[in-house]
Amino acid sequence: MIDYRKNTIPVWTLATRDVRVPAFTGEKRMTAGRLAELRTVLAALADEPVATLEAHPLPERLDRARGIPLDAVSPLAQHLSQLVTESARSSSSAATIAGEGLYRMVVPAKFADALGRGLVRSMNSGEVAGGLRGPLVDATGRIVAGATFVPVGTVAAAGAAGGAGATAGVAVAGSAALTVAAPLVLMALAVGVSAHADTKRREAVARITELLEQLHEDKLEAEHSELDGCRDAIDKATAVLLDQGVIGASLGLDSAVHAINSALGAADRRLARWRSALDRLPDGEPVDIATLAKAFPGVDDDGGEFRAHLELASLAIALKQRVNVLQAVEHAQKDPDNLFENFTRALKRDQQRLDDMQSGIAGVLLRLSALEPARPQGLRPVFTTGEVERLMRAAHRIHQLAEAVPTYGRASDVAIEIARDKDGSVVVFPALPAES
C-alpha cells in the first residue's frame, strides 16, 4: 500500500514507440534526484521520446481555471484511466492511485525542444522579482520535496494511436520496462502546450484591455475584438480534435485563422517600420524624445499606441500557437503510424515564423532600451524641475523595455500536470519548464 504521508510516489516510464534502452535501475525506490538522473539517461540513450509520469495526491487547493478540462470519455482521460487501472491490478506500488490524483508528466528537453523553443518558456513570477513560476505544486509550494519514487512494473499500456482501446504493449530491455503509451504522451503534451498558449493569451488580453481604456483608439479596439473573438472557435476545435473528431467548417476555425494571420501580417508590417525607424537614427548620439515618440507613439509613457501594438502582436502569437497545436494533432491523428514525428514536425515548421517575429520584436526592444534620450531643445540655458523629471521618467521607461525581452536558457524538460477526479475527468494544466 502507498502511504502518502510518507511521500511515497509511484512513477511510470512511458515510451512513444517500442524502444530499447539498457537497464537503468535495479532499485525498488529512488529519490527525486535519482529520478531526474533517470530521465537524463533515458533521453540520451533512447531515439524516441521517453517520458516519466508521477502520481501525487491531489492538493486541497488547485486553480483549475488555469487548465483545460476534459471529461471522462475523452481519449486522454481514457488513456490515463486505463494506465492507472491496469497498474493498480498488477502492481502493489500503484494500488492506491486508481481514484483521484495529480499526475505529473515530464518530457525530456531533447524531445520537448524539438517542438519549437518559443512554445514553452519560463514565465516571470508575480511574487518574486526575477523568479520563475515552476510546475503546478501543492499548497506548500513544492510537489516532490522529500518524496520517494517507486517504479511501477510492467503493465498493459494506455493505448496506441487509434484510441483508448487500440493496441499497445511494453518495451523491455534488460531490467528496464517502458510502457508504450504514445497517445497519452502526445495528448498530454498537446493539451499542456495549448493551455500554456492560452495562459499567454489571457495575460495579453488583460494588458491590452488596460491600454485601450487609456487610448480610446477605435481601430485598435476593433483589432483587439476580432482577435479575442477567435477564442470560441479555437476552444471548440480543440475539444473536437481531442475527442478524435474531425473539424468541420461550422466551427468557424477558418475565419479565426484568417483573423489571426491578418493580425500577424499587421505585426510584421509594424515590425518592419520599427526597424526602419531605428535604422534612421544617428549612431551613438542621444535621441530627441519627440523624434522617438513620433516613430514609437507612447514609448516614453506608461501606455501608448506602441505598447498596444506590442500586446496585440503577443495576442496574435499566442492564438497562432494554439492553432499550431491543433494542426499538429490533426496531422498526428491522420497518420497514426508516424505519430510523434508528425506532431513535432508540424509544430516546428509553423513555429519558425513565430520565432522569427518574436526575435525581431525582442531586437527592437533591446535597441530602444539602449538609446540615450537627448536633453530638450530650447533657448534657455536652464531647465525647469518638471522638464528634468519628465526626461528622467522617459529615459527610465525606455530603458525598462529590455525587461520585456524573453531570455532563453538551456533547453528544459517540460512538465505537464493533470488533475484527475474520482469520476475519471481531468484538467490539464499549462506545460511549463520542469524544475531542475
Side-chain angles (χ1 to χ4, degrees):
M1 297 290 289
I2 298 296
D3 185 356
Y4 281 114
R5 291 173 297 177
K6 295 180 180 179
N7 294 323
T8 302
I9 305 298
V11 58
W12 295 262
T13 308
L14 307 179
T16 57
R17 286 185 183 275
D18 188 345
V19 296
R20 298 190 65 81
V21 296
F24 50 79
T25 178
E27 304 172 7
K28 292 294 184 182
R29 297 171 181 267
M30 65 181 76
T31 64
R34 176 65 173 158
L35 180 60
E37 292 174 359
L38 166 63
R39 286 197 297 263
T40 301
V41 171
L42 288 175
L45 297 179
D47 293 329
E48 302 293 340
V50 177
T52 57
L53 179 68
E54 310 155 18
H56 298 262
L58 196 63
E60 293 181 4
R61 298 194 303 271
L62 275 179
D63 182 9
R64 294 171 181 263
R66 294 195 311 114
I68 294 179
L70 299 172
D71 60 34
V73 298
S74 66
L76 185 147
Q78 290 188 34
H79 294 321
L80 181 60
S81 294
Q82 184 178 345
L83 176 71
V84 171
T85 302
E86 294 297 332
S87 298
R89 291 173 182 170
S90 59
S91 172
S92 60
S93 65
T96 64
I97 56 174
E100 63 182 13
L102 181 65
Y103 295 83
R104 182 174 188 262
M105 182 180 293
V106 179
V107 182
K110 172 182 176 181
F111 304 107
D113 191 51
L115 304 182
R117 68 188 182 104
L119 278 175
V120 177
R121 292 196 183 99
S122 300
M123 295 191 290
N124 294 331
S125 171
E127 299 176 359
V128 182
L132 298 175
R133 276 188 285 185
L136 184 67
V137 293
D138 61 18
T140 65
R142 288 188 64 83
I143 194 170
V144 296
T148 298
F149 294 85
V150 181
V152 178
T154 300
V155 298
T167 59
V170 176
V172 181
S175 64
L178 293 85
T179 303
V180 181
L184 181 58
V185 178
L186 168 71
M187 290 188 177
L189 194 53
V191 184
V193 169
S194 185
H196 177 88
D198 196 54
T199 297
K200 305 303 289 184
R201 179 200 64 82
R202 288 196 299 267
E203 292 173 352
V205 166
R207 292 190 295 262
I208 293 171
T209 301
E210 183 178 351
L211 286 170
L212 294 182
E213 286 176 353
Q214 301 171 19
L215 285 173
H216 303 291
E217 278 283 347
D218 291 340
K219 289 184 179 179
L220 292 180
E221 181 68 43
E223 188 174 340
H224 171 223
S225 297
E226 187 172 11
L227 270 178
D228 201 33
C230 298
R231 179 192 172 189
D232 184 60
I234 293 174
D235 285 347
K236 288 178 181 175
T238 301
V240 168
L241 270 184
L242 292 176
D243 284 340
Q244 295 186 329
V246 178
I247 297 177
S250 62
L251 293 178
L253 189 61
D254 287 347
S255 58
V257 170
H258 175 74
I260 294 167
N261 287 339
S262 297
L264 289 173
D268 268 331
R269 292 189 295 274
R270 288 163 183 160
L271 178 58
R273 288 199 299 269
W274 295 338
R275 284 170 163 166
S276 177
L278 287 169
D279 290 340
R280 291 195 299 269
L281 297 177
D283 292 334
E285 297 182 16
V287 180
D288 180 62
I289 292 295
T291 300
L292 199 60
K294 185 176 181 180
F296 303 90
V299 71
D300 57 333
D301 204 347
D302 288 329
E305 186 178 314
F306 173 65
R307 295 175 193 270
H309 285 162
L310 289 175
E311 296 302 338
L312 285 169
S314 296
L315 176 57
I317 288 170
L319 290 169
K320 184 63 173 176
Q321 285 174 336
R322 286 202 69 186
V323 170
N324 287 350
V325 175
L326 290 176
Q327 293 172 335
V329 173
E330 190 173 23
H331 278 293
Q333 290 180 351
K334 285 180 178 178
D335 188 2
D337 295 330
N338 194 21
L339 189 67
F340 210 84
E341 291 87 344
N342 263 352
F343 181 69
T344 55
R345 186 165 54 246
L347 276 179
K348 196 171 185 179
R349 181 179 61 248
D350 290 337
Q351 182 64 25
Q352 186 59 53
R353 179 191 178 190
L354 303 184
D355 283 345
D356 292 342
M357 179 177 292
Q358 289 173 309
S359 296
I361 292 173
V364 167
L365 293 177
L366 288 174
R367 290 176 68 182
L368 278 171
S369 68
L371 294 176
E372 178 186 352
R375 298 173 63 186
Q377 301 296 318
L379 300 176
R380 293 174 298 156
V382 179
F383 299 101
T384 66
T385 302
E387 289 173 330
V388 173
E389 289 179 350
R390 281 195 296 273
L391 179 63
M392 292 179 64
R393 283 198 301 269
H396 177 68
R397 286 167 181 148
I398 291 170
H399 293 158
Q400 275 187 318
L401 292 172
E403 298 177 5
V405 178
T407 56
Y408 299 97
R410 63 178 178 82
S412 171
D413 294 352
V414 172
I416 302 102
E417 263 82 19
I418 306 171
R420 181 174 182 266
D421 292 320
K422 291 180 180 179
D423 63 359
S425 62
V426 298
V427 176
V428 184
F429 293 90
L432 293 174
E435 290 180 330
S436 57

